[in-house]
C-alpha cells in the first residue's frame, strides 16, 4: 500500500526550500527497504512511501519533520476509477516527552531542533548494536539540544561544552521545565576536581517517567578535545554533534583551552577532536557530525574519519543532506561507524 507523509511547514524555514529532499533521505535511512519519493499532490508536497514489508508508522512518527500520514485509497464511482484519495492514518506518539523541551529555548548559535533530530535519527539508524536504549554523547553540547533530543527519543544524553555559561543556562532551563511539568527528577551541578584543583563543573540530571526506565543526562564544562579524559572509561553508542561553523554566534565560538587555542578553525578542531571521540565509541557505535562545508570539504572530513578508524557512510541517501543555512554556511552531515 502506498502512503503519503505530509511535512511540518516549519521544515522549510529550516532548510530554505530543501526540506523535502532531506526528509526523504532521512526516512530512507530510518526505514530500510522503503521507497521514498517527493511528490506534489494538488500543489502540496508529500513524501510518497512504498514499503514492501509494510510501513512502520512508529518510524514515520519519529521523523524530524513528519506532520501527518495518509494512505492512498483507490476510489471509484459510477463504474470508473476516479483516482487516489488520501485517508488519514493516526501517527502513534513515540516521544517520551513534550517537544517544547527543545522548542522553547531560543538563543544565538542554537542548532535548530528539527535538524538536531534529523542528525540524531540518522546517526542512531547507523548504529550496529543490539536494539535498545542508546547513550548519546555531544562533545560540543551548547545548551543541550542534542542531549534533550536524546531524552525525547527515550535515550540518555551526555555532553561536554566549552562555555560554562551555556551549561549554566541549560541547567537552569531544564530544572524549570522539569518542575513546571511536575516530573520526578534529580538535577545537580557539582564542581569537578583533579588532584585537588577545581577544573570545572558538571551538571547531572535523571528523569523518572511512569512505567519507563530512568533517563540520564550529564555534561562537563571543558574542551571537546578532552572529552575522553573527562568521561574516563565510559563509552557511548553514538556521538552526535553540530560542529562550530567558523562564524561567530557569541563569546565562545571556539575552544576553551588556555593557551590561545580560541582562534583555531573548526577544521583544526575536528582534526584534533574527532580521533578522541572515536575512541569513546563502543564497537558498532556511530558518529554523526554536521559541519559547514565552506570551512572543510566532505573529502577532507571523510579522510579524518577514516584515519580515526571509522567506516564513512557515503552512498545513496547519505549524500543527500547538504543544504544552505545562510550565505556563509552550507551545512552537510556525515556519519561514520566504528567496526564491530
Ligand atoms: C554550533 S554550536 C552547537 C550548539 C548546540 N548544538 C546547541 O544547540 O546548543 C557549537 C558549540 O560548541 C561549543 N564549542 C566550540 N568549541 C568547543 C570546544 N573546543 N570544546 C567544547 N565545546 C566547544 C561552543 O561553545 C558552542 O556552544
Amino acid at each position: 500500500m502506498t502512503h503519503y507523509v505530509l511535512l511540518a511547514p516549519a521544515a522549510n524555514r529550516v532548510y530554505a526550500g530543501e526540506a523535502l529532499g532531506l526528509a526523504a533521505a532521512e526516512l530512507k535511512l530510518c526505514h530500510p527497504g522503503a521507497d521514498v519519493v517527493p511528490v506534489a499532490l494538488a500543489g502540496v508536497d508529500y513524501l510518497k512511501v512504498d514499503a514492501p514489508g509494510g510501513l512502520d508508522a512508529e518510524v514515520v512518527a519519529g521523523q524530524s519533520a513528519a506532520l501527518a500520514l495518509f494512505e492512498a485509497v483507490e476510489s471509484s464511482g459510477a463504474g470508473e476509477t476516479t483516482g487516489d484519495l488520501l485517508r488519514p492514518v493516526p501517527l502513534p506518539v513515540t516521544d517520551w516527552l513534550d517537544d517544547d523541551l527543545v522548542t522553547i529555548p531560543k538563543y544565538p548559535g542554537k542548532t535548530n531542533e528539527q535538524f538536531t533530530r534529523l542528525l540524531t535519527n540518522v546517526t542512531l539508524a547507523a548504529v550496529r548494536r543490539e536494539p535498545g536504549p542508546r547513550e548519546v554523547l555531544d562533545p560540543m553540547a551548547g545548551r543541550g539540544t542534542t542531549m534533550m533530543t536524546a531524552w525525547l527519543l527515550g535515550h540518555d544524553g551526555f555532553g561536554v561544552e566549552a562555555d560554562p555559561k551555556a551549561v549554566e543556562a541549560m541547567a537552569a532551563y531544564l530544572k524549570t521545565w522539569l518542575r513546571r511539568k511536575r516530573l520526578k527528577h534529580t538535577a545537580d551541578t557539582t564542581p569537578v576536581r583533579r588532584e585537588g584543583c577545581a577544573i570545572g563543573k558538571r551538571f547531572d540530571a535523571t528523569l523518572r517517567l511512569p512505567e519507563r526506565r530512568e533517563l540520564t543526562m550529564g555534561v562537563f564544562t571543558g574542551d571537546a578535545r578532552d572529552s575522553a579524559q573527562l568521561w574516563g572509561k565510559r563509552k557511548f553508542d553514538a556521538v552526535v554533534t553540530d560542529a562550530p561553523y567558523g562564524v561567530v554566534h557569541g563569546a565562545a565560538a571556539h575552544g576553551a583551552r588556555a593557551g590561545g587555542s580560541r582562534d583555531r578553525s573548526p577544521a583544526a578542531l575536528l582534526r584534533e577532536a574527532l580521533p578522541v571521540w572515536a575512541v569513546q565509541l563502543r564497537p558498532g557505535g556511530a558518529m554523526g557530525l554536521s559541519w559547514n562545508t565552506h570551512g572543510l570539504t566532505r573529502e577532507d572530513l571523510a579522510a579524518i574519519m577514516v584515519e580515526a578508524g571509522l567506516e564513512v557512510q557515503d552512498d545513496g541517501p547519505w549524500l543527500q543532506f547538504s543544504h544552505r543555512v545562510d550565505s556563509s554556511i552550507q551545512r552537510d552531515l556525515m556519519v561514520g561507524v566504528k567496526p564491530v
Side-chain angles (χ1 to χ4, degrees):
M1 180 180 287
T2 299
H3 286 84
Y4 291 86
V5 180
L6 182 65
L7 300 187
N12 257 326
R13 289 202 289 279
V14 185
Y15 304 119
E18 298 172 83
L20 209 59
L22 271 79
E26 179 190 7
L27 186 53
K28 279 185 220 167
L29 293 169
C30 294
H31 200 305
D35 182 40
V36 185
V37 189
V39 293
L41 297 180
V44 177
D45 290 330
Y46 295 83
L47 294 179
K48 178 171 179 274
V49 190
D50 287 286
L55 185 71
D56 185 341
E58 292 208 351
V59 171
V60 176
Q63 296 293 284
S64 63
L67 177 65
L69 179 65
F70 301 88
E71 57 191 14
V73 191
E74 228 175 57
S75 70
S76 50
E80 58 183 289
T81 301
T82 54
D84 284 351
L85 293 179
L86 299 189
R87 179 160 49 205
V89 178
L91 279 175
V93 176
T94 54
D95 282 5
W96 285 34
L97 298 164
D98 297 340
D99 73 352
D100 63 358
L101 175 63
V102 292
T103 56
I104 292 171
K106 304 264 186 283
Y107 50 90
K110 179 181 178 185
T111 311
N112 176 279
E113 61 275 359
Q114 222 163 6
F115 179 72
T116 301
R117 184 157 182 149
L118 183 149
L119 180 61
T120 307
N121 278 345
V122 300
T123 306
L124 292 178
V127 170
R128 296 181 202 144
R129 297 178 61 80
E130 288 288 298
R134 305 298 189 202
E135 295 187 318
V136 179
L137 172 70
D138 182 350
M140 294 189 282
R143 295 200 205 175
T145 313
T146 309
M147 295 185 291
M148 294 181 199
T149 299
W151 268 22
L152 283 188
L153 301 173
H155 303 296
D156 296 324
F158 303 92
V160 176
E161 167 54 45
D163 178 5
K165 291 212 166 59
V167 176
E168 255 170 54
M170 153 180 164
Y173 167 72
L174 186 67
K175 281 187 204 169
T176 308
W177 188 89
L178 290 166
R179 253 186 253 129
R180 191 164 57 78
K181 298 273 174 176
R182 299 179 186 281
L183 298 172
K184 202 170 166 207
H185 68 278
T186 63
D188 298 293
T189 301
T190 47
V192 177
R193 292 178 200 288
R194 192 145 297 156
E195 288 154 16
C197 301
I199 59 161
K201 289 189 175 161
R202 66 181 287 174
F203 170 70
D204 291 282
T206 61
L207 171 57
R208 171 75 68 188
L209 298 166
E211 289 162 42
R212 303 260 200 206
R213 70 175 192 92
E214 184 173 83
L215 292 172
T216 305
M217 186 183 290
V219 56
F220 282 98
T221 60
D223 194 286
R225 289 162 288 188
D226 299 330
S227 180
Q229 252 162 284
L230 291 165
W231 281 107
K233 290 205 179 82
R234 186 161 198 155
K235 300 281 189 259
F236 301 91
D237 303 299
V239 169
V240 174
T241 201
D242 179 32
Y245 301 130
V247 292
V248 178
H249 290 298
H254 297 299
R257 273 184 184 166
S261 58
R262 290 176 71 89
D263 57 353
R264 299 257 172 151
S265 71
L269 173 62
L270 285 176
R271 275 196 188 88
E272 287 180 40
L274 197 151
V276 175
W277 308 336
V279 170
Q280 293 185 280
L281 277 178
R282 299 194 170 107
M287 182 189 299
L289 304 183
S290 58
W291 85 105
N292 182 2
T293 56
H294 289 322
L296 178 68
T297 64
R298 196 172 172 91
E299 292 68 33
D300 287 346
L301 181 58
I304 298 171
M305 279 209 178
V306 169
E307 182 77 10
L310 303 179
E311 291 170 6
V312 176
Q313 309 299 293
D314 58 1
D315 56 340
W318 293 108
L319 298 176
Q320 290 160 13
F321 289 110
S322 176
H323 61 280
R324 183 181 189 276
V325 176
D326 62 33
S327 59
S328 56
I329 302 172
Q330 179 74 24
R331 185 166 57 188
D332 200 353
L333 69 83
M334 184 175 290
V335 171
V337 180
K338 186 159 173 166
V340 181

